[in-house]
Amino acid sequence: MRIRATVAAVSGALALSALAVPAAQAGNDSDVAANKPSAAERFGSTSNRSAFSAAAAAEALPVVSKVTINSGTAVAVGTTYAKTFTVSVTASHATGIQDAYVDLWHGTDLDNIDGLLMANEDAATCTASSATTSICKLTITATPGSDLYMNALAGTWHVTAGALAGDGSIYWNDFHTTHKVQRFSKLTVNASPEPVKKGRTITVTGKLSRANWEDFRYHGYTNQSVKLQFRKKDSSTYTTLKTIKSNSTGELKTTVTASTDGYFRYSFAGTTTTPAVNATGDFVDVQ
């Protein structure tokens, strides 16, 4: 029953009231900030009781020991399809856990939110691992062009985590952790000629590109370091031959000397805004 609610809405070491005012309107997009719920709004709390300090409230509040976003990997979103991913909260309390919450938000602070990814469900699916601890799961959907309406949103997002105990006490932290939301990347390779005589020159071309959430196309990712790698025909391990940079349109081009049969690929390590990607190896028959 949602009758009593003692809430710790944590920002640094602060514990705020259960009826904390929702985040202020975002400077550039007020609708985004207005949609972000407070602890009271999410869990339906009606109490005006508050925790006077995090230390005083610690024993009575749920403890969130783990928050997992998209199986621990960055959320990479392309240009065409929405990306739905799972989030989970592991929480415990003497009276058990009945609900949990996660959202991802982008902005300098709660007064300046320009991106928000909220849970699809009204309540989490919680599975008890003991009398006091549960793992609660939700899903979140990120849609290019709407949720992700500008490329500047790519990068590090804040993660809000909340948990509702069986006695109505609430843990809520708008700065629980951070997670990356990135522009999906593509990488191609072509090694030629095929076949080639040993000792001759092989030209390896390719292109590094990434999703543009504003025009729904893939554009070259410029001036990025990319490794040219090779593995022998009978090996499963790639070794790096050299590192080159993509040009002003994301194109890649370099040459090597043919020595033995094998696969060439380009490998990109990724950046804060763009995930790592490996091209599919291109086989060259050396005669």
Side-chain angles (χ1 to χ4, degrees), residues 2-11 13-21 37-63 93 101 160-165 167-174:
R2 296 172 180 171
I3 297 174
R4 181 178 66 84
T6 303
V7 181
V10 183
S11 176
L14 298 179
L16 305 179
S17 168
L19 291 183
V21 177
S38 65
E41 290 168 334
R42 173 61 185 189
F43 293 132
S45 305
T46 57
S47 172
N48 61 2
R49 297 183 61 180
S50 63
F52 293 101
S53 70
E59 293 185 2
L61 297 173
V63 174
H93 189 267
Y101 177 75
T160 295
L164 175 65
D167 68 351
S169 58
I170 296 171
Y171 169 88
W172 189 273
N173 186 353
D174 285 308

Side-chain angles (χ1 to χ4, degrees), residues 75-95:
V75 178
V77 182
T79 61
T80 305
Y81 301 105
K83 168 76 172 181
T84 298
F85 55 96
T86 300
V87 299
S88 67
V89 176
T90 301
S92 58
H93 189 267
T95 62

Side-chain angles (χ1 to χ4, degrees), residues 12-285:
L14 298 179
L16 305 179
S17 168
L19 291 183
V21 177
Q25 308 295 296
N28 296 328
D29 191 337
S30 60
D31 290 339
V32 176
N35 287 333
K36 180 169 171 53
S38 65
E41 290 168 334
R42 173 61 185 189
F43 293 132
S45 305
T46 57
S47 172
N48 61 2
R49 297 183 61 180
S50 63
F52 293 101
S53 70
E59 293 185 2
L61 297 173
V63 174
V64 172
S65 57
K66 186 177 182 180
V67 174
T68 302
I69 312 292
N70 194 37
S71 300
T73 63
V75 178
V77 182
T79 61
T80 305
Y81 301 105
K83 168 76 172 181
T84 298
F85 55 96
T86 300
V87 299
S88 67
V89 176
T90 301
S92 58
H93 189 267
T95 62
I97 300 296
Q98 59 174 309
D99 196 5
Y101 177 75
V102 171
D103 70 39
L104 281 69
W105 60 276
H106 186 273
T108 55
D109 52 49
L110 291 172
D111 292 327
N112 295 280
I113 298 176
D114 56 8
L116 178 63
L117 299 173
M118 296 193 300
N120 295 318
E121 299 83 5
D122 291 332
T125 298
C126 295
T127 302
S129 58
S130 70
T132 60
T133 303
S134 290
I135 300 175
C136 301
K137 295 184 177 181
L138 297 151
T139 63
I140 295 176
T141 299
T143 304
S146 55
D147 301 309
L148 305 175
Y149 59 91
M150 62 178 177
N151 295 324
L153 293 176
T156 302
W157 289 51
H158 297 285
V159 176
T160 295
L164 175 65
D167 68 351
S169 58
I170 296 171
Y171 169 88
W172 189 273
N173 186 353
D174 285 308
F175 297 88
H176 184 86
T177 187
T178 59
H179 200 78
K180 288 183 174 60
V181 178
Q182 299 178 318
R183 297 162 62 181
F184 191 83
S185 56
K186 294 181 178 182
L187 185 56
T188 62
V189 66
N190 182 57
S192 63
E194 304 172 48
V196 64
K197 289 185 178 182
K198 186 174 182 178
R200 295 290 181 89
T201 298
I202 297 174
T203 300
V204 187
T205 58
K207 183 173 183 177
L208 175 65
S209 60
R210 60 177 177 167
N212 186 309
W213 295 332
E214 298 171 19
D215 66 8
F216 310 109
R217 299 172 62 188
Y218 280 84
H219 296 274
Y221 197 8
T222 66
N223 199 36
Q224 298 300 309
S225 295
V226 179
K227 294 178 180 178
L228 174 65
Q229 299 181 326
F230 177 79
R231 72 174 175 89
K232 294 181 180 180
K233 181 180 179 180
D234 56 355
S235 172
S236 60
T237 303
Y238 277 94
T239 58
T240 298
L241 302 180
K242 62 175 71 175
T243 299
I244 64 173
K245 284 198 172 184
S246 57
N247 68 11
S248 60
T249 59
E251 303 287 342
L252 301 159
K253 185 176 181 180
T254 190
T255 60
V256 293
T257 300
S259 59
T260 186
D261 292 353
Y263 298 83
F264 290 92
R265 76 175 185 185
Y266 281 117
S267 179
F268 174 59
T271 62
T272 300
T273 62
T274 308
V277 60
N278 293 319
T280 301
D282 187 24
F283 181 75
V284 174
D285 178 17

